[in-house]
Amino acid sequence: MSRSSLPRPLLPALCAALLLTGCAQGAGPGSAATPAASASSSPTPSPTPTPEEPAELIGGGTEVFPDRRMVALYGRPGTPALGVLGEQGPEESAVRAKELAAQYEPFSDVPVVPAFEIIATTASASPGEDGDYSEELPVEELRPYVEAAAEQDVYVVLDLQPGRQDFLSQAQQYRELLELPNVGLALDPEWRLAPEQVHMVQIGSVDAAEINATTAWLAELTREQELPQKVVVLHQFAESMITNRHLVDASRPELALVLHADGHGTPELKRGTWERLQQGLPDGIRMAWKNFYDEDTPTFTPEETSAIEPQPWFVSYQ
C-alpha cells in the first residue's frame, strides 16, 4: 500500500507572441516625392512569421506511450518518512532519478524517462483549518523540484491525497504547474475520505464519476494550452478503492492513464494484486508498478520488475 505516515501538522508555461513587423507608409496623394523619398516610401517586405514549435515531451513527441517508459522517485519534499524523493534536495533527486531510470534501460525496448512522483497534498491526522484532513503544499514549495526536473529532463507527476476534499478541487489548485508540458497528475483514492470519515480507520475510495470530472478538466486544460499528452496515475491496491471502475473514461487523447498497483509485501502478494487489478480494467488504461524499499520483502530488482507481464509502463519507488 502507498500508506504514508500521517503528519499533523513551475514556472507557468510560456507562450511566445509573434513579432509583427509594420510596413512604412507611402507618401500621401499629390505629394512631391524626391527619389530618396520614393525609395523610402517603398514598402519593406515583412519576414514571414514562424509559428512557435509545439511543446514536446522529454525525449520528443507529444504522446507518452508506447514510445517511452517512466521510472519515478516517490515522496514528499523534505519528508524522508514519506518516500525516497524526500531524502535529498531537488537537484540531488533529479540525479538519483536518472540513475535509477538508467538501470531499466537494458530491459526496455523503448527509452526510459526518469520521473518524480511528488506528494503535493498529504493525508493528515487532523482536519486542519479547512477541515479536509489534507495538507496542501504551496506551489512555491513544489516549484524548485519542478524546475530542477525540467532542467534535468525529468518528468513530474503531482500526487493528490485529498482527504474530504474532491480530486478536481485539489488539482485546480496546481493549475499553473499542470500548464507545464512535462507535469502530469496522480490520484490516490486510499486517502479520499467520505464525510465524517478519518484516515487510518478505513481505506478511502473514489467513484469513477469524480475521476472522470478531474480528467475532463485536465484534458481541456491540456488542449487549451496546446500541451503534449499528460500522464494520469490512478493508485489502487483494493477493488473498493475505485467504485464503478468500469466507467472510468480513458478515451481522452490528451491523457495517458495508468493504473498503479500499490500493493507491498512478498513477491507472491504483489503479483496477486497485479493480476487481480487487471481484471475488468477499462480499455486504454495501461499498468504501472510500485516498489517499496522498506515494506517489500524483498524489493524487486529492475530486471525482476521488467519481467512482470505485461511489462509496467510506469514504475515508482517509495
Side-chain angles (χ1 to χ4, degrees), residues 3-277:
R3 292 188 179 277
S4 53
S5 59
L6 301 176
R8 287 190 176 268
L10 235 70
L11 286 174
L14 300 177
C15 298
L18 296 176
L19 179 62
L20 302 179
T21 304
C23 298
Q25 294 183 345
S31 60
T34 64
S38 298
S40 65
S41 65
S42 300
T44 302
S46 300
T48 303
T50 302
E52 184 183 0
E53 291 295 326
E56 291 191 341
L57 293 161
I58 294 167
T62 58
E63 293 188 8
V64 180
F65 308 119
D67 293 332
R68 78 208 78 220
R69 300 182 192 276
M70 293 187 178
V71 175
L73 298 183
Y74 175 93
R76 170 176 161 137
T79 311
L82 299 186
V84 294
L85 182 70
E87 294 179 353
Q88 59 279 305
E91 291 77 15
E92 295 83 1
S93 291
V95 171
R96 185 172 179 179
K98 293 172 74 171
E99 292 174 346
L100 186 59
Q103 297 178 34
Y104 279 78
E105 288 283 0
F107 313 110
S108 177
D109 56 354
V110 293
V112 181
V113 173
F116 291 164
E117 186 173 354
I118 305 175
I119 305 175
T121 68
T122 311
S124 176
S126 61
E129 293 183 1
D130 55 8
D132 65 1
Y133 288 85
S134 179
E135 182 182 352
E136 300 89 356
L137 284 178
V139 168
E140 291 308 312
E141 290 191 26
L142 298 175
R143 195 182 299 280
Y145 283 82
V146 176
E147 291 179 350
E151 292 171 358
Q152 296 292 325
D153 289 337
V154 174
Y155 196 85
V156 173
V157 176
L158 302 179
D159 185 80
L160 304 181
Q161 301 177 2
R164 293 183 185 176
Q165 194 175 20
D166 63 277
F167 280 115
L168 175 58
S169 297
Q170 281 208 335
Q172 290 172 334
Q173 296 179 44
Y174 298 100
R175 176 183 177 124
E176 65 183 276
L177 299 182
L178 291 168
E179 288 179 342
L180 296 171
N182 285 285
V183 177
L185 190 65
L187 312 181
D188 200 341
E190 179 184 1
W191 310 109
R192 173 67 172 96
L193 300 177
E196 310 304 324
Q197 288 185 339
V198 294
H199 295 299
M200 301 303 291
V201 175
Q202 70 293 298
I203 296 172
S205 66
V206 67
D207 190 76
E210 185 172 320
I211 292 175
N212 291 340
T214 307
T215 55
W217 171 81
L218 184 61
E220 182 178 3
L221 177 67
T222 303
R223 185 170 57 253
E224 288 177 349
Q225 299 296 321
E226 299 181 352
L227 299 170
Q229 196 177 49
K230 289 188 175 294
V231 174
V232 175
V233 178
L234 305 178
H235 287 272
Q236 188 177 22
F237 57 83
E239 285 82 348
S240 63
M241 288 171 58
I242 302 178
T243 57
N244 296 310
R245 194 184 71 167
H246 64 288
L247 297 178
V248 171
D249 186 358
S251 67
R252 296 182 175 90
E254 299 85 359
L255 309 177
L257 272 63
V258 295
L259 187 79
H260 198 284
D262 268 0
H264 64 69
T266 65
E268 292 73 24
L269 287 173
K270 290 176 72 73
R271 288 195 180 96
T273 299
W274 178 257
E275 296 295 333
R276 190 174 68 252
L277 291 178

